[in-house]
Amino acid sequence: MAQIICIANQKGGVGKTTTAVNLSAALAVSEKRTLLVDCDPQANATTGVGLDKSQLVKTLYHGMIGDAEAEALIVDSQIEALKVMPSRVELIGFDVEMMDRPHREHALRRLLASVTQDFDYILIDCPPSLSLLTVNAMTAADALLIPLQCEFYALEGLSQLVQTFQRIKGGLNPGLRIAGILLTMFDRRTNLSHQVAEDAESHFKNLVFKTTIPRNVRLGEAPSFGQPILLYDAMSPGAVSYFSLAKEIMTANHAGRA
């Protein structure tokens, strides 16, 4: 049975998609059968693994409104063990179209139920908002991974996300836990990055991953080539850090986290 991890933070530009793509790739290269689910209408994870959106027949949208089964949506990536459930801009209509439907928060969970036996890990990339799509992702997941950019005000927006997590855990998904808080765009040369790390650890204790993701030019370049960092530059600090994060998730599995 797959471990389902949703990657969410309602703040944009914190490294959600970068983490979804590169952690998925690192798990797949580590011989874990991995499915990357692009739950963001911007579809950056879809293009980030090299898929041409114009060539897609069916996307996550069709699955979530009940027009397609999960198996029909899954496509191959450049890494054998990494499969993708792609997205496109039509997913933006999901919130409106599902407004009056009962159990609309469970659409993604229902869709993924038929393929959880086929994978070791399913990673869900969420949009930068606490929309119905994000609620669906958190309802479908076993664990929530929160990327936190090392910048001023970084912790301020987390309270809203944690409140949403608590509401979903209290009602829609009692088994949901926090997999961890991942510090991204960490620059060891600046006091600010170290200050954010200290603040996060004082607030969230053992929930902060030991791995940090550095500010890295190659990491920023890789999506424009449609490649995870592991294929674009496997020796870069960004690639090394995502391998380290994958190892941390696989070995510890973060048992006993909140």
Side-chain angles (χ1 to χ4, degrees):
M1 187 73 77
Q3 170 86 1
I4 304 177
I5 302 171
C6 78
I7 299 168
N9 188 330
Q10 77 273 17
K11 197 172 186 299
V14 298
K16 281 187 301 295
T17 299
T18 300
T19 296
V21 167
N22 292 302
L23 176 56
S24 296
L27 289 166
V29 169
S30 303
E31 301 183 341
K32 298 295 181 184
R33 299 167 303 159
T34 306
L35 174 65
L36 172 61
V37 179
D38 190 350
C39 200
D40 184 350
Q42 295 178 80
N44 290 332
T46 298
T47 54
V49 293
L51 297 178
D52 182 350
K53 289 182 285 189
S54 67
Q55 299 299 309
L56 299 171
V57 178
K58 299 271 188 180
T59 67
L60 179 65
Y61 166 78
H62 300 96
M64 289 184 70
I65 64 169
D67 282 359
E69 297 297 319
E71 292 84 353
L73 306 176
I74 295 172
V75 297
D76 293 335
S77 76
Q78 299 165 75
I79 300 171
E80 188 177 352
L82 176 59
K83 308 299 181 186
V84 185
M85 197 175 280
S87 177
R88 209 164 39 199
V89 70
E90 65 260 25
L91 187 59
I92 206 166
F94 173 78
D95 282 30
V96 176
E97 291 176 44
M98 299 294 283
M99 188 94 57
D100 300 323
R101 293 206 197 176
H103 311 299
R104 59 190 178 274
E105 302 91 351
H106 296 274
L108 184 56
R109 177 187 275 180
R110 286 195 300 270
L111 179 66
L112 294 178
S114 63
V115 296
T116 52
Q117 299 285 358
D118 301 332
F119 296 97
D120 299 306
Y121 289 93
I122 297 176
L123 270 62
I124 307 171
D125 185 28
C126 294
S129 65
L130 296 178
S131 63
L132 183 57
L133 286 169
T134 301
V135 170
N136 260 267
M138 291 171 72
T139 302
D142 300 306
L144 168 64
L145 189 157
I146 304 170
L148 185 70
Q149 186 179 357
C150 291
E151 62 164 22
F152 202 58
Y153 298 133
L155 291 171
E156 280 198 353
L158 273 193
S159 60
Q160 194 180 356
L161 180 62
V162 170
Q163 285 171 12
T164 302
F165 160 77
Q166 288 168 340
R167 282 200 300 273
I168 290 173
K169 184 177 175 67
L172 297 166
N173 186 3
L176 184 65
R177 60 187 176 82
I178 295 178
I181 292 168
L182 176 67
L183 298 174
T184 62
M185 303 177 202
F186 187 90
D187 187 342
R188 63 181 66 255
R189 298 168 303 177
T190 68
N191 290 333
L192 181 57
S193 282
H194 292 284
Q195 187 62 56
V196 172
E198 284 175 26
D199 290 349
E201 283 164 10
S202 67
H203 277 83
F204 296 101
K205 308 294 190 276
N206 65 323
L207 287 177
V208 181
F209 284 105
K210 293 182 177 66
T211 301
T212 59
I213 308 302
R215 192 174 287 280
N216 178 233
V217 172
R218 305 293 276 174
L219 204 50
E221 291 173 350
S224 63
F225 292 87
Q227 291 183 323
I229 188 64
L230 304 181
L231 296 182
Y232 181 64
D233 186 352
M235 301 306 291
S236 69
V240 171
S241 63
Y242 276 110
F243 259 126
S244 173
L245 177 63
K247 190 179 296 184
E248 198 172 341
I249 286 173
M250 288 186 294
T251 54
N253 209 19
H254 301 288
R257 290 200 157 177

